[in-house]
Amino acid sequence: MMRAMTAPPPPVSSPAPRRGVLADVLDPHAFRVALYVLLALPAGGLVVLLLTVGVVGGVLTLALVVGAALLLGALWLVGGLADVQRVLAGLLGVSFVRAGPPPAYTGVWPWVRATLSDPATYRALLFHVVQFPLAALCWVVLGTLLALTLGALASPLWWLYPPLFPLVWRDSTVTPGLPVVAGLLVLGFGSLLVLGGVLNLMGRMWTRLTLALLGGDMGYEAARREVMALRRAAGRVALGDDLDATLADLAVQARLASTAQAVALLAPDGTSRASSGTAPAEWFQEFGSARPDQSATVPQGEADVRYTAGGATLVSFPVSLPPSAEVLDGGTLRAVYTPGMRPGPDELAFLLSIADHAGTALHAAQLIERAGTRAGEQERARLARELHDSVAQALYGITLGAKTARATLDRDTEKARASLDYTIRLAEGGVSEMKALLFSLRPDALEEGGLVAALTGHAQAMEARHGLTVFADLPAEPHLTPDAQAAAYRVAQEALHNVVKHARAHQVWLSVAQAGGWVTLTVRDDGRGFDPEQQGRGTLGQRSMRERAAGAGGTLEVRSVQATELGTESGTTVTLRLPAAPAEPQAAALATGAQS
């Protein structure tokens, strides 16, 4: 039993502008309604027959086992035949969506209790009971109108060939005259128009009846879909990775959670940014008689509701950006509905929320672009300062040294040689400084060569930029997980930064060793040291290093000695111990095989 089937909430009907006298007759929807009415009578009769046989037969044979089976079958048919009716309702343009998977029951009695306690069962049963007599009434009305229409429109044949339609009145044959034929033709056309209008009304009646009795709790389902759509839209906007993908997803969510046939997000110049659904182009762009409907006021904004040239309902919402944005006009969100249909105020409020999310996405894209531009400008300014303070000064010194060497080359060879040596040292320092700048511009060295390569590059940069002598003992790449590798690199960075900022050291020892399932990283300097007892748990940098070590499952130890007397050794040692990553199964197997 498909009780989870629900239909979209019925839009509020609104009188569409007239498109012609024969609009109802020539509308393809009228022919689908006629086909539905044609099938509804035999389908309703078959349903009534099956349910009657099941219930009556079950009651009469209740003393036997077959009676209970017939009653259970009749109960199952209530839902099963409702599913058939939902499929048949597709002729009316009514579609149902499954809210979720059907519930699973562990036995017959739990299913019976759940089915009998479900209001959808009684609504479906009421539809089965009402369908047959209502379909019979529709047949009578449509049959009468159709017979009257065909008979009246065939009156010219009666006038031209009286023997084909013999009408005897009191022993005399009645022959129509031309005024009678003209009157019958007018009656026939009138009946045809009435027939089209009646089909339109029947279509609305059956649509509402189907939605009311075969649909679920439409208000709840509509609210649930809208909440889920807004939740997904908010998450997509917060992600902010791709503006085009975000706007496309917003358009899809707006269409799926509403009754609109198509939704589009348009730029201020009218070009499409994103769209979902299909609809004729004139439904979006042409306004026919350009008669604006009364604007429907919704919270924090207004919806512009108009009729298009094709008779559809077009609703437009402004996509507004906050006052801090560079461009306040974000375009419009347009939703188009099938002719004669119009959304309710709750759906208008939902679409307005989607338009607000689109404005937020546009503003976020502007902020990201602005931040990227500003970051680029700041990075260029930083590089300009670094180049001016280091490489440019080195090049200037190289120029002076080369000019001095050239001027003294003939008369003072020793001075020229000293100038050339000075120039060479400046050139080497400039090369080292340039390497340090290039290292700072590269992507994370961990991703390129691992921990050893990253620490080696960082040590070379410190030697070039700060004049420190770094003794690096980095024999081999340790076995660490990616998280532990990143923690080790960041701890080493912070420790070396503290050496430059606080220690006033001249030499630094950096080592990495792996033994006994542990990897040990050590950073030691010959600086002035500090008093650990006065500093407690350390500065913010030390707390950050300890948190990184704990997050990777390791420990951090900081030992420092201050120089109390002249000649006493001082310095600080930072020791990080991290668990080594387990060896891969294949590598372990190969190692075991080699040992054996």
Side-chain angles (χ1 to χ4, degrees), residues 49-338:
L49 177 62
L50 291 176
L51 292 179
T52 302
V53 170
V55 174
V56 174
V59 172
L60 295 179
T61 59
L62 189 58
L64 304 176
V65 178
V66 67
L70 287 176
L71 290 177
L72 291 176
L75 183 60
W76 178 84
L77 281 177
V78 173
L81 294 176
D83 293 337
V84 177
Q85 298 288 2
R86 293 185 181 100
V87 175
L88 187 62
L91 295 173
L92 302 173
V94 179
S95 60
F96 296 85
V97 294
R98 184 182 293 276
Y105 301 102
T106 57
V108 176
W109 291 117
W111 171 80
V112 171
R113 287 195 299 268
T115 304
L116 292 178
S117 62
D118 190 353
T121 303
Y122 302 97
R123 290 199 299 267
L125 181 60
L126 180 60
F127 182 85
H128 296 325
V129 173
V130 171
Q131 183 188 30
F132 181 71
L134 189 58
L137 179 61
C138 291
W139 268 47
V140 172
V141 173
L142 292 180
T144 302
L145 288 175
L146 185 61
L148 183 60
T149 300
L150 294 178
L153 293 179
S155 58
L157 296 177
W158 184 23
W159 177 53
L160 294 175
Y161 304 100
L164 294 177
F165 306 93
L167 180 59
V168 180
W169 177 259
R170 294 183 180 180
D171 298 334
S172 61
T173 302
V174 178
T175 303
L178 186 59
V180 175
V181 173
L184 290 176
L185 286 176
V186 172
L187 178 62
F189 280 110
S191 301
L192 183 62
L193 297 179
V194 172
L195 179 63
V198 169
L199 282 174
N200 191 359
L201 291 176
M202 287 184 178
R204 293 171 181 267
M205 176 193 67
W206 282 105
T207 297
R208 292 183 179 276
L209 184 64
T210 304
L211 290 174
L213 297 182
L214 297 182
D217 189 353
M218 294 174 292
Y220 168 78
E221 288 298 330
R224 186 188 64 84
R225 286 196 302 272
E226 291 176 359
V227 169
M228 294 299 296
L230 289 176
R231 179 180 177 183
R232 178 182 174 89
R236 185 73 192 191
V237 171
L239 184 62
D241 54 346
D242 187 345
L243 178 61
D244 293 336
T246 299
L247 296 180
D249 192 61
L250 288 177
V252 171
Q253 295 302 317
R255 183 184 63 84
L256 293 179
S258 67
T259 58
Q261 182 170 344
V263 175
L265 285 166
L266 305 180
D269 58 358
T271 59
S272 176
R273 282 194 173 118
S275 62
S276 177
T278 57
E282 63 270 14
W283 285 15
F284 279 108
Q285 299 175 357
E286 300 179 8
F287 285 81
S289 60
R291 181 182 73 84
D293 195 9
Q294 294 180 355
S295 297
T297 303
V298 294
Q300 301 178 356
E302 288 188 350
D304 184 18
V305 183
R306 296 173 180 261
Y307 293 130
T308 67
T313 302
L314 179 66
V315 185
S316 301
F317 301 87
V319 178
S320 302
L321 278 71
S324 60
E326 296 178 356
V327 180
L328 299 181
D329 186 7
T332 56
L333 182 147
R334 291 186 175 181
V336 65
Y337 295 81
T338 55

Side-chain angles (χ1 to χ4, degrees), residues 250-425:
L250 288 177
V252 171
Q253 295 302 317
R255 183 184 63 84
L256 293 179
S258 67
T259 58
Q261 182 170 344
V263 175
L265 285 166
L266 305 180
D269 58 358
T271 59
S272 176
R273 282 194 173 118
S275 62
S276 177
T278 57
E282 63 270 14
W283 285 15
F284 279 108
Q285 299 175 357
E286 300 179 8
F287 285 81
S289 60
R291 181 182 73 84
D293 195 9
Q294 294 180 355
S295 297
T297 303
V298 294
Q300 301 178 356
E302 288 188 350
D304 184 18
V305 183
R306 296 173 180 261
Y307 293 130
T308 67
T313 302
L314 179 66
V315 185
S316 301
F317 301 87
V319 178
S320 302
L321 278 71
S324 60
E326 296 178 356
V327 180
L328 299 181
D329 186 7
T332 56
L333 182 147
R334 291 186 175 181
V336 65
Y337 295 81
T338 55
M341 309 304 287
R342 174 174 163 179
D346 292 339
E347 186 166 315
L348 293 177
F350 162 71
L351 292 176
L352 179 64
S353 299
I354 293 293
D356 292 340
H357 277 79
T360 303
L362 292 172
H363 187 214
Q366 291 182 4
L367 293 178
I368 292 174
E369 182 178 2
R370 190 188 308 173
T373 303
R374 183 175 179 83
E377 294 175 352
Q378 292 177 348
E379 183 65 16
R380 286 191 294 270
R382 185 187 71 84
L383 288 176
R385 291 192 302 269
E386 296 286 349
L387 290 173
H388 177 270
D389 296 339
S390 57
V391 180
Q393 298 296 331
L395 292 176
Y396 180 70
I398 291 171
T399 302
L400 291 178
K403 288 181 179 180
T404 302
R406 184 179 63 182
T408 60
L409 183 62
D410 296 333
R411 62 177 182 271
D412 192 345
T413 306
E414 291 299 327
K415 188 175 182 179
R417 183 179 291 107
S419 297
L420 288 176
D421 291 339
Y422 172 73
T423 302
I424 291 173
R425 287 195 301 271

Side-chain angles (χ1 to χ4, degrees), residues 442-508:
R442 292 186 316 177
D444 193 354
L446 286 174
E447 299 179 0
E448 295 184 358
L451 179 62
V452 169
L455 292 178
T456 301
H458 199 71
Q460 293 175 355
M462 287 192 64
E463 287 183 332
R465 304 190 66 178
H466 303 290
L468 288 171
T469 301
V470 180
F471 299 96
D473 182 15
L474 308 171
E477 183 71 22
H479 295 290
L480 292 173
T481 62
D483 292 340
Q485 194 179 61
Y489 182 61
R490 297 308 177 191
V491 167
Q493 271 188 322
E494 182 65 27
L496 294 173
H497 173 74
N498 290 337
V499 170
V500 174
K501 186 176 181 181
H502 305 291
R504 298 179 184 177
H506 300 285
Q507 295 178 331
V508 180

Side-chain angles (χ1 to χ4, degrees), residues 500-535:
V500 174
K501 186 176 181 181
H502 305 291
R504 298 179 184 177
H506 300 285
Q507 295 178 331
V508 180
W509 289 265
L510 174 64
S511 65
V512 173
Q514 180 174 349
W518 289 88
V519 176
T520 304
L521 168 69
T522 305
V523 179
R524 181 170 63 88
D525 64 74
D526 61 352
R528 59 180 180 174
F530 62 91
D531 187 357
E533 295 182 358
Q534 293 183 358
Q535 206 171 43

